[in-house]
Amino acid sequence: MAVCSAYASPSLRTPCSIHPTGSTQHLIFFTGDPRRPPRRPPVSCSAESNTVVIGLAADSGCGKSTFMRRLTSVFGGAAAPPKGGNPDSNTLISNSTTVICLDDYHSLDRTGRKEQGVTALDPRANNFDLMYEQVKALKEGKPVEKPIYNHVTGLLDPPELIKPPKILVIEGLHPMFDARVRSLLDFSVYLDISNEVKFAWKIQRDMAERGHSLESIKASIEARKPDFNAYIDPQKQYADCVIEVLPTELIPDDNEGKVLRVRLVMKEGVKHFSPVYLFDEGSTISWIPCGRKLTCSYPGIKFFYGPDAYYDHEVSVLEMDGQFDRLDELIYVESHLSSLSTKFYGEVTQQMLKHADFPGSSNGTGLFQTVVGLKIRDLFEQIIAEKSAAPVEASKV
Ligand SMILES: Nc1ncnc2c1ncn2[C@@H]1O[C@H](COP(=O)(O)OP(=O)(O)OP(=O)(O)O)[C@@H](O)[C@H]1O
Ligand SMILES: O=C(CO)[C@H](O)[C@H](O)COP(=O)(O)O
């Protein structure tokens, strides 16, 4: 039995227990005189739950797993699938974080989608009611039995038990699609990979690692496009932070897709989140760091920072075009960035060096994913500090 640590008064306890059937039952009992009415309304498990919910949206093959690995590393400890569970589980659990993949809320399996002529991106192939109920329950501190979509077989497998973590990340195609699910998010990120780059990455992975033909990759991207444009892409307007990945502007007519221009679009006015800035907050700056302190080979590196508008929202944008030759020299760039939410000087560089083998480590994708990971850690710590201060403040009243 998982007992909530939230007590309304010393005599009132609110435990959550998991039913043998797998459904969750909520019991309220009193340790004092059972005939006396409670002095305050009973507190449900939700009232003082500390689960912070982060949404990460992107199309398939756009770097969500890589981002997740960087994020969980910032919180410490390695992430692994639930022990002793389904070997094809999509869930990753570490000390503080649980990452659930929203593919698990596909309501139609591979055959079902084929029969009905819908893609996995189509809302009709997904169960948003269940997604909402379960994310809400986890946020409220209650365990859930979450379905599993098996990517190997294309079938829906028996559910797995997910316990409420400190940080719940919901990653996948639709974390910001349903307004109810969106309202549960404490912070949201959208990975916006331009078509050219998406194509280059798909070819690299699906041809080299999965043996697909160039034609089949092209066909699969084209087939997904209408639903991607209708249901996935529009979610970026709701994101607190967007990482845009575009072809470089440093090489005229580049079509190799190896050098990237990456833009970190950060919404202003988001609670517990202060955008990162270069040199001077709110000004507009172009910066070429190459020279004595940063080694750059062709085509060099260019940074940009400035205010902008994104879907009618005021944002700050930090942009990096080009790639690093030597990751240890990143400290020079880091020392010119502010509001990074690092715990010590050089933490961004240390994280980047630690995962130098991850895709995107030499360019803005790795740098900005790391920076967003640190900002999420800071947001989490602020929310927890606020929640633990709240009962003290309340008791003063
Ligand atoms: N920043 C990057 N730079 C270069 N290539 C990248 C980058 N991020 C991802 N890739 C490429 O894209 C592939 C998919 O990345 P990743 O597994 O992180 O994406 P995903 O969104 O989790 O994919 P899926 O949803 O299909 O599992 C990687 O194997 C790599 O080839
Ligand atoms: O867009 C996707 C999410 O990653 C997949 O295409 C979707 O989950 C269906 O998966 P599969 O092709 O394994 O049946």
Side-chain angles (χ1 to χ4, degrees), residues 46-241:
S46 62
E48 294 174 44
S49 154
N50 283 335
T51 295
V52 169
V53 186
I54 310 294
L56 173 67
D59 196 4
S60 159
C62 285
K64 295 185 296 293
S65 312
T66 310
F67 185 19
M68 281 305 100
R69 287 196 289 163
R70 289 193 196 275
L71 177 70
T72 48
S73 161
V74 162
F75 283 97
K83 277 196 193 91
N86 186 330
D88 294 328
S89 166
N90 301 307
T91 303
L92 285 175
I93 299 178
S94 70
N95 288 349
S96 351
T97 60
T98 292
V99 181
I100 60 173
C101 174
L102 297 180
D103 294 349
D104 289 334
Y105 293 99
H106 288 337
S107 52
L108 296 174
D109 62 12
R110 202 175 287 157
T111 312
R113 288 195 299 271
K114 209 169 178 182
E115 279 168 1
Q116 300 204 17
V118 292
T119 70
L121 300 93
D122 191 314
R124 288 172 296 174
N126 295 278
N127 187 343
F128 288 102
D129 290 343
L130 186 64
M131 189 191 294
Y132 167 64
E133 278 160 28
Q134 296 205 333
V135 175
K136 182 167 178 281
L138 287 167
K139 191 171 172 119
E140 291 174 348
K142 302 167 194 164
V144 301
E145 290 279 347
K146 183 189 59 55
I148 299 175
Y149 175 72
N150 188 322
H151 280 277
V152 180
T153 61
L155 298 170
L156 289 156
D157 282 354
E160 63 186 354
L161 176 69
I162 304 289
K163 293 182 190 152
K166 288 184 186 163
I167 300 141
L168 173 70
V169 184
I170 57 168
E171 63 94 353
L173 298 169
H174 304 99
M176 284 96 90
F177 180 82
D178 183 285
R180 298 165 303 169
V181 178
R182 211 161 60 226
S183 73
L184 298 170
L185 302 177
D186 292 290
F187 194 75
S188 53
V189 184
Y190 185 93
L191 301 182
D192 189 6
I193 315 298
S194 64
N195 284 334
E196 299 93 321
V197 177
K198 204 189 275 188
F199 188 55
W201 288 1
K202 272 259 177 212
I203 290 177
Q204 183 188 319
R205 181 180 73 173
D206 293 357
M207 263 177 94
E209 297 168 24
R210 300 186 178 176
H212 296 184
S213 71
L214 186 63
E215 284 318 306
S216 74
I217 297 168
K218 273 187 190 161
S220 118
I221 291 182
E222 284 307 315
R224 289 172 75 95
K225 249 188 195 163
D227 283 354
F228 175 79
N229 292 337
Y231 309 118
I232 312 304
D233 191 65
Q235 293 176 90
K236 62 190 182 195
Q237 66 188 291
Y238 305 116
D240 297 314
C241 213

